[in-house]
Amino acid sequence: MSARRAPTSRVALRYLRFHLPGLAIAAVVLAALAYWDVLSRGLALALAALWVLKDVVLFPVLRAAYEPDDSAAPGRPLGELGVAVDADWVRVGPELWRVRRAGGAPALAPGALVRVVALHDLEVEVEMPLGTPPGEGAGRA
């Protein structure tokens, strides 16, 4: 799997699009509070600046969450290798997936190396990769 990162400008624009509504609401509320003399104009501007500064400071921390994932199609784990946790669950990367068994397929043995061959809603269909020694799990589950 490729570890290419999207250009910072593209990710920053996406981040900005997600955070603009909150900034706009905060600005309207602060402007209203300043208009009604609940806050001084200087304090309202300082709070708005802190709001923007918060987003700027958090961008490097949150950048990965806002990167577009072109592989986020419904079949994302297709072809990925995983390890059977038990007969009904496999770990593919950091995620646990429920296994859908094909008709009459034997159960997976814990620790069996599997490859995802199909995705059915939130369940995966797996097979043993070539070269897996016999007794390391089931054929197709």
Side-chain angles (χ1 to χ4, degrees), residues 71-79 90 92 95-100 115-126:
S71 67
R76 186 174 138 235
L78 285 178
V90 294
V92 181
E95 300 173 334
L96 279 177
W97 289 85
R98 188 168 194 74
V99 173
R100 175 181 279 191
R115 181 179 309 280
V116 176
V117 295
L119 185 65
H120 307 281
D121 295 321
L122 296 176
E123 297 178 330
V124 293
E125 186 174 327
V126 297

Side-chain angles (χ1 to χ4, degrees), residues 27-119:
V28 168
V29 169
L30 289 171
L33 291 174
Y35 177 78
W36 292 319
D37 291 327
V38 174
L39 294 177
S40 69
R41 186 177 288 174
L43 181 57
L45 287 173
L47 289 174
L50 282 174
W51 190 281
V52 171
L53 181 64
K54 166 206 52 116
D55 287 337
V56 169
V57 168
L58 287 178
F59 175 70
V61 176
L62 299 174
R63 182 189 200 286
Y66 288 89
E67 283 199 27
D69 186 6
D70 297 331
S71 67
R76 186 174 138 235
L78 285 178
E80 298 279 331
L81 291 176
V83 176
V85 175
D86 59 29
D88 297 318
W89 294 90
V90 294
R91 182 174 300 280
V92 181
E95 300 173 334
L96 279 177
W97 289 85
R98 188 168 194 74
V99 173
R100 175 181 279 191
R101 292 179 202 229
L108 291 172
L113 184 64
V114 296
R115 181 179 309 280
V116 176
V117 295
L119 185 65

